[in-house]
Amino acid sequence: MAKRVPYRKIKTHRLYTPYEAALVLGVHRQTVIRWIKDHGLPADTETKPWLIEGRDLRAFLGERQTRRKCCLALHSFYCFGCRDGRTAAGKMADYVQQTATGGMLTAICDTCGTLMYKAVKRSDLEAIRAKLDVTIQTADPRIVSLSDAPINVTFSTGARTHVKAQL
Ligand SMILES: [Zn+2]
């Protein structure tokens, strides 16, 4: 995960060369050039050196960091142990269908081992399965009716089934 850059140090009404921007932000000049070439940071590339408007740079970085915080990649989780975005250990996750259109994805943090949860749309599941090995637990009537049965029925996700059954 890329480190946070102090984009608020960028002055809105200033022009920056990639080198100057890199100095202020504490990143490599090539990183700034990559933002321009590959990630859509607006810049005047007719000039030499290239010039970036401070306003554009701040907007670009602010948007990127907000996006990282609030909307992780589909297959990433927010870990409350690490207080950051994390990937699933072993690239494995469980999905429990909860409504007609969505459900809960659970996985183990690959860094600290905390159980991570994330509400996902059913329609996003295929994209997630391209990145993670997802075991789908459909909440079909057979499972729901087991709430009266002994708790230790042989599900692979025994612990979570237990929690559900108590609800
Ligand atoms: Zn963690």
Side-chain angles (χ1 to χ4, degrees):
M1 186 147 293
K3 67 175 177 179
R4 297 175 156 265
V5 293
Y7 66 92
R8 287 190 178 84
K9 286 188 186 167
I10 296 287
K11 294 189 171 64
T12 314
H13 296 290
R14 238 205 88 164
L15 288 171
Y16 291 85
T17 66
Y19 179 69
E20 289 166 338
L23 275 186
V24 174
L25 297 170
V27 300
H28 198 277
R29 191 172 62 96
Q30 285 301 329
T31 304
V32 178
I33 289 171
R34 229 178 20 243
W35 290 339
I36 296 168
K37 282 184 168 173
D38 302 336
H39 297 283
L41 168 62
D44 185 355
T45 54
E46 304 281 291
T47 60
K48 232 178 194 304
W50 294 352
L51 289 174
I52 309 154
E53 285 196 39
R55 184 186 326 132
D56 289 337
L57 189 52
R58 279 185 70 131
F60 173 81
L61 293 171
E63 200 265 334
R64 267 165 79 93
Q65 287 182 7
T66 308
R67 194 171 56 203
R68 186 173 302 140
K69 191 161 50 173
C70 80
C71 315
L72 297 161
L74 272 180
H75 57 283
S76 295
F77 293 77
Y78 183 83
C79 172
F80 285 96
C82 300
R83 297 183 176 278
D84 206 348
R86 288 290 181 255
T87 45
K91 294 195 185 299
M92 289 188 306
D94 287 322
Y95 173 82
V96 179
Q97 185 84 28
Q98 292 185 320
T99 68
T101 55
M104 192 63 78
L105 203 60
T106 55
I108 305 292
C109 171
D110 69 342
T111 304
C112 74
T114 297
L115 187 60
M116 307 183 290
Y117 301 84
K118 173 163 145 162
V120 293
K121 293 195 207 105
R122 182 75 176 84
S123 53
D124 285 336
L125 205 52
E126 284 316 305
I128 294 166
R129 295 185 86 182
K131 302 275 188 180
L132 295 178
D133 183 5
V134 179
T135 305
I136 297 184
Q137 325 263 333
T138 42
D140 66 293
R142 278 176 305 154
I143 292 177
V144 172
S145 68
L146 283 174
S147 54
D148 292 335
I151 295 301
N152 58 350
V153 277
T154 51
F155 290 121
S156 58
T157 54
R160 284 193 282 284
T161 308
H162 188 153
V163 171
K164 260 192 104 126
Q166 286 182 329
L167 292 176

